[in-house]
Amino acid sequence: MRVIVTRPEPSARATVEKLRALGHDPVLLPLFRAEHLPGAVRDALSIPAGGLIFTSAEACRALAATNGDLRTLRDKPVYAVGQSTARAAAKLGFRMVVTGNGDGAALAARIENAERSDLPLVYIAGEPRSPELEITLAARKIPFRTVVAYKMSALAHPAHDVAATLATAEAILLYSAGTAKRLLDLAGPDPAALAGKSVYCLSPSIARAFAAPQGTLLHVAETPDEACLLALLPGGDGKER
């Protein structure tokens, strides 16, 4: 199956390798790129913190882009939204990583139940982002401050290139609500551009943002984890949700 990978680099490359291992033919169509803001991260971390929160592997890369000495941070607790983010944090040398199930509100619950210092946590965040984590942390009166460590900027793709890519593909992977909306914009008003395509969404919120055109076959991962998403493809475990 020819599968379009819409996630940004460098994460897209790892997905491409996984798809090839499953016997698929991946094609890259990144719709956004991350612009790191290392100065903002350095300023945020100059104030003592009780721990760090990451909701994406890109946030970990943004932290690494500061080129700062992370040794003073590595013994602090890190709260990662899911497995891939947790692995990225571990690669930076963090020793105490609490891993959530891929959902921001659920991660806030894990944080509430964990032993913490009185110092605020620092949420290393991107823009745009889902608000659930911050809303839940505030509701549970967990002290934190947010630093925007990176911004996702839309990549320009000529309409005829997008049309040609869509025409030759059978499936599309979507990893964020922003990407879902961007793909609809690039596909244009012609519903035939996406008709008959199998669209695989990492979460229900992404599926809602996609607002699948008529004739699109929509699939949603049981949990917001790439392993669950890829399992829905032919060559995975054969289960579809």
Side-chain angles (χ1 to χ4, degrees):
M1 177 182 283
R2 190 166 175 81
V3 183
I4 295 175
V5 180
T6 60
R7 69 189 316 195
E9 299 278 21
S11 299
R13 292 290 171 180
T15 300
V16 163
E17 294 306 313
K18 293 173 184 176
L19 288 169
R20 285 178 178 153
L22 291 172
H24 298 295
D25 178 19
V27 56
L28 284 173
L29 184 65
L31 302 183
F32 289 89
R33 70 171 180 208
E35 296 182 0
H36 294 161
L37 304 171
V41 180
R42 284 193 292 267
D43 289 346
L45 295 178
S46 66
I47 303 170
L52 304 178
I53 304 172
F54 296 112
T55 53
S56 70
E58 193 61 56
C60 297
R61 288 189 283 270
L63 177 60
T66 64
N67 295 317
D69 186 353
L70 300 181
R71 286 176 295 180
T72 59
L73 295 173
R74 285 176 177 146
D75 286 329
K76 293 184 179 296
V78 164
Y79 303 94
V81 73
Q83 293 290 339
S84 62
T85 303
R87 287 192 291 270
K91 285 182 180 179
L92 290 180
F94 289 102
R95 300 179 181 92
M96 296 186 294
V97 181
V98 176
T99 308
N101 67 354
D103 176 81
L107 180 61
R110 293 290 305 274
I111 293 171
E112 183 179 38
N113 293 326
E115 291 186 13
R116 307 185 312 276
S117 75
D118 293 332
L119 293 172
L121 302 172
V122 176
Y123 175 21
I124 309 293
E127 193 174 274
R129 62 185 177 275
S130 173
E132 281 80 7
L133 172 64
E134 289 161 290
I135 290 172
T136 309
L137 289 174
R140 296 176 185 239
K141 295 182 170 51
I142 298 171
F144 74 99
R145 58 181 185 271
T146 300
V147 54
V148 176
Y150 65 95
K151 294 184 178 181
M152 301 305 295
S153 300
L155 293 171
H157 291 285
H160 63 275
D161 287 353
V162 174
T165 301
L166 289 173
T168 61
E170 301 164 81
I172 304 166
L173 300 181
L174 295 177
Y175 287 79
S176 73
T179 300
K181 294 173 183 177
R182 175 73 174 151
L183 179 62
L184 287 173
D185 289 342
L186 290 173
D190 181 9
L194 293 167
K197 309 297 181 189
S198 291
V199 179
Y200 295 85
C201 300
L202 190 66
S203 71
S205 62
I206 296 170
R208 289 192 295 271
F210 185 63
Q214 186 174 3
T216 303
L217 307 174
L218 201 61
H219 311 265
V220 183
E222 185 174 355
T223 59
D225 177 86
E226 187 176 58
C228 293
L229 180 67
L230 299 186
L232 298 179
L233 292 164
D237 65 4
K239 297 178 181 178
E240 292 189 352
R241 302 287 190 262

